[in-house]
Amino acid sequence: MRLNKAWRIYLLSLGALLLAAGATAFFLPDYRNLFYLFLYSAPSNSFIPVPHDPAMIFFGRLYLPELVALVAAVGTLIPCFIDYKAISFAFQAEKLRKIRDSKVYRGALYYFLKAPFICIFLAALLPFIPFYIFRVLIPTSGYALSRYMLAVFLGRIPRYYLFALLGTLPILPLLLVVSIVLIVCALSYAVIKRHLVSRSEGSPGPVQPTHAQV
């Protein structure tokens, strides 16, 4: 089976990144842990339920926060492509298409289509916005893959930097800040979900996905 252009570019880019990361780990052993961070950031930013922000805190205690943020942000782009393609394919099935009629999906799509790039950027940046919704919204709405990956990259870098910066704090202040972030995230998740459901219930009918490019 012949791969299309998008898959060829992705696989070539992935191979180059893995080769560069592996060479760095081999020839610069002091930076070897960053190779593991690069590998870890890929599945932790997909549907696999493993946390990525605590990893930034941990690696922020070992390396410069700027370096940690850059390495993790590049690794984050790996699952973006896979998720986009997989969800686009999966939603061709009739059973999964019914998700588009769910209240959370319709409510989220209503806001997403107003400014998709900004929505993705903010969701990638702010830990209290549930990003899993956008992993479904982006491919099913027809939003461009390249713009999606760019928005995620730009949003993740400052987020990862701030969490890596937390790793430079003493233990007690660090625990206090992390506890506050967790509480805010939990409350925000509940409020956002409730608002999306109410937005859907107040709409006149199903929101139709479009091929938004903004």
Side-chain angles (χ1 to χ4, degrees):
M1 182 178 64
R2 184 178 177 82
L3 296 175
N4 61 30
K5 182 179 179 180
W7 274 104
R8 291 199 300 271
I9 293 175
Y10 173 76
L11 292 176
L12 286 173
S13 301
L14 178 60
L17 285 173
L18 289 174
L19 182 62
T24 301
F26 182 81
F27 293 107
L28 299 173
D30 289 344
Y31 293 91
R32 185 168 297 162
N33 288 328
L34 289 175
F35 174 67
Y36 303 136
L37 171 63
F38 173 76
L39 297 179
Y40 179 84
S41 62
S44 67
N45 281 277
S46 187
F47 283 99
I48 301 176
V50 292
H52 46 78
D53 291 329
M56 301 307 114
I57 296 175
F58 173 78
F59 282 97
R61 305 184 77 85
L62 304 177
Y63 301 102
L64 290 174
E66 299 91 334
L67 189 57
V68 172
L70 180 61
V71 171
V74 172
T76 296
L77 297 179
I78 296 175
C80 286
F81 183 92
I82 299 295
D83 289 348
Y84 188 98
K85 294 295 185 181
I87 293 172
S88 297
F89 177 78
F91 264 72
Q92 296 177 18
E94 187 62 32
K95 289 183 179 181
L96 289 182
R97 288 180 184 176
K98 294 179 181 179
I99 294 178
R100 290 177 173 169
D101 294 328
S102 69
K103 294 178 179 180
V104 173
Y105 178 90
R106 288 167 50 194
L109 188 65
Y110 173 84
Y111 292 105
F112 175 71
L113 293 179
K114 291 182 177 294
F117 190 91
I118 298 300
C119 286
I120 299 170
F121 171 80
L122 292 177
L125 172 65
L126 303 174
F128 52 82
I129 298 180
F131 196 81
Y132 69 89
I133 296 175
F134 292 89
R135 289 197 177 95
V136 175
L137 278 177
I138 294 162
T140 57
S141 68
Y143 192 68
L145 173 60
S146 58
R147 292 176 180 268
Y148 163 41
M149 296 177 71
L150 177 60
V152 169
F153 182 75
L154 294 178
R156 288 302 193 201
I157 282 186
R159 172 172 171 169
Y160 289 161
Y161 174 77
L162 292 175
F163 274 95
L165 200 60
L166 288 178
T168 64
L169 295 177
I171 293 297
L172 289 180
L174 173 61
L175 292 177
L176 177 61
V177 173
V178 170
S179 299
I180 293 174
V181 170
L182 290 176
I183 293 172
V184 171
C185 288
L187 294 175
S188 299
Y189 272 42
V191 171
I192 290 172
K193 183 176 181 179
R194 185 166 60 249
H195 180 72
L196 293 179
V197 171
S198 65
R199 169 65 252 182
S200 173
E201 291 175 342
S203 62
V207 181
Q208 296 298 322
T210 64
H211 291 273
Q213 299 295 323
V214 178

